[in-house]
Amino acid sequence: MTQDERLNFLLRDLLAERKEYEDIPVPDSLSEKRRLLRSLMNVRPPVPAREDFLRMQDAYLVERLAERGVTRLKDLTPVRPGLYLWQGDITTLAVDAIVNAANSQMLGCFVPCHGCIDNAIHTYAGVQLRLECARLMDGQKEEEPTGSAKITKAYNLPCRYVLHTVGPIICGAVTQTDRELLASCYRTCLVLAAKTGLGSVAFCCISTGEFHFPNELAAEIAIQTVGEWQRQNPDKIKVIFNAFKDSDYAIYKRLLR
């Protein structure tokens, strides 16, 4: 089966799930089809999917990953022992775990095609990720506290696991509590990764996007917190700072120099 046939199957299946979608046509262009698929996956509630749908989705996402390309840890050059800086799409990085900047509901971003990392990770992992997150949260009976972390499978991502952490939301001046909570995000992820037996973790720029933490200060806290943890736990976990934006990459490159 071709990728276009898989894509058409997935679109028809998702559109058939809800009555309000019955008048939405399948677009002709590839870019519009991909955008519609992402939108439908983004808004889909955390409910089980049929086995044939999952097989088709997984085959489609595996091929999409091959098209987008995979970066492996061995392809990167450390800036310090056990520490890497990489600019790219974290959903194409093959390490033990990547870190997702989640919200307190911990279910992924429901805004169609939103530009946040939470949206991208759930899109390329597949619908199984939201369902696993929902089961974790159902067992917890409360929203995820800021500064803590959860671990899930990665499904169709090239990494093995996803670490979901909730960073502080900044409204006005950054407080000492905000600083401590952001540091806790990095520390808690590393502790959870070590407990799980992982050897490499890629961090996104937690809280700097929709949560409005100042980028430079966030990078300073990230580097300091990770550095302290690695000194206390030598040769335990290799850390990759993933900077997607040029501006963040420039900040990390200067601070790590």
Side-chain angles (χ1 to χ4, degrees), residues 137-172:
M137 298 308 289
D138 286 345
Q140 185 165 295
K141 304 298 184 186
E142 63 181 6
E143 292 188 345
E144 184 72 5
T146 303
S148 62
K150 288 280 191 296
I151 189 167
T152 65
K153 297 176 185 178
Y155 299 98
N156 292 289
L157 296 168
C159 57
R160 295 171 56 204
Y161 296 94
V162 179
L163 294 159
H164 307 261
T165 189
V166 182
I169 300 173
I170 304 304
C171 301

Side-chain angles (χ1 to χ4, degrees), residues 53-101:
F53 175 88
L54 293 178
R55 284 194 300 270
M56 193 69 69
Q57 175 211 246
D58 293 352
Y60 174 79
L61 290 175
V62 166
E63 184 61 30
R64 280 289 289 130
L65 177 61
E67 293 167 4
R68 294 161 64 227
V70 174
T71 299
R72 305 183 186 282
L73 185 60
K74 65 181 179 63
D75 301 326
L76 307 181
T77 302
V79 293
R80 296 177 185 174
L83 193 66
Y84 301 76
L85 174 61
W86 178 69
Q87 185 176 21
D89 182 346
I90 202 169
T91 66
T92 65
L93 189 57
V95 291
D96 284 346
I98 63 171
V99 174
N100 177 28

Side-chain angles (χ1 to χ4, degrees), residues 106-120:
M106 199 68 81
L107 297 179
C109 174
F110 282 84
V111 179
C113 296
H114 193 253
C116 68
I117 189 172
D118 198 13
N119 188 292

